[in-house]
Amino acid sequence: MKVLVTYKSKTGFTREYAEFIAKELAGDAMDIKKAGAKVMKNYDVVIHGGSIFAGLIGGLKKARSNFLKSGAGCFVIFAVGATPAKVTDNVENIWNNNLLEEEKTLNNHFYLQGGLRYEEMGFMSRKLMTMMANKLQADNKCPKDDPNEVDISKSYDISSPEYALPLIEYVRTLG
């Protein structure tokens, strides 16, 4: 089974997961900018991962469109976000905002915890995140002293290869 993992990564977490998944599945990892339908047609499974920004999974529309044109066999999606996976309402909103109705009924989508890397963000993204962090802290919705919450006012990493294992196991069942 030939596997291609495409990704769109803003700060590196999604790229790191894509490379790990590709390695575990003996596949290839590639930025979505380089993975058109002509490339995808050479694979049995196309996995697309995108970082979440403003509720959208980066590169998903392009990846889905290229996949549909390619004739590749199976499409799997993963989203990487800074929100802990235990915040299930946020994760459900991500799926509701990004998946097609027929995709929502499949078990082909996975949420992987990432983090924030302010040092890798562009100026506007960094500014927006800082404003959001200040607003949440002012509203006491994200207190800095709560051990169950992450402090979004600074960089942090809650990623782990173990979060990709359910996706990897799912893909192995396809072969």
Side-chain angles (χ1 to χ4, degrees), residues 8 10-11 50-58 79-82 94 98 116 121-122 124-126 128-129 132:
K8 182 169 183 183
K10 285 181 118 4
T11 62
S51 55
I52 299 166
F53 186 75
L56 298 176
I57 301 171
V80 179
I94 291 162
N98 289 275
L116 287 175
M121 291 181 188
M124 287 306 295
S125 296
R126 197 169 47 247
L128 287 170
M129 283 302 303
M132 184 179 5

Side-chain angles (χ1 to χ4, degrees), residues 26-124:
D28 300 312
M30 186 180 300
D31 190 300
I32 189 61
K33 293 175 192 170
K34 299 177 183 174
K38 288 181 181 180
V39 171
M40 289 182 183
K41 76 177 182 178
N42 298 311
Y43 292 88
D44 303 305
V45 177
V46 175
I47 303 168
H48 177 73
S51 55
I52 299 166
F53 186 75
L56 298 176
I57 301 171
L60 179 58
K61 286 183 182 179
K62 182 176 185 175
R64 182 187 292 123
S65 174
N66 289 343
F67 169 78
L68 292 171
K69 292 174 192 170
S70 76
C74 185
F75 189 55
V76 178
I77 302 162
F78 70 94
V80 179
T83 303
K86 65 183 176 187
V87 186
T88 55
D89 291 351
N90 285 1
V91 175
E92 273 308 306
N93 286 337
I94 291 162
W95 302 135
N96 288 332
N97 292 332
N98 289 275
L99 299 181
L100 302 176
E101 286 304 315
E102 58 269 22
E103 289 171 335
K104 291 177 185 175
T105 62
L106 302 173
N107 291 322
N108 70 335
H109 49 277
F110 300 84
Y111 178 79
L112 310 179
Q113 295 179 164
L116 287 175
R117 290 182 177 141
Y118 279 93
E119 60 279 5
E120 297 293 327
M121 291 181 188
F123 174 78
M124 287 306 295

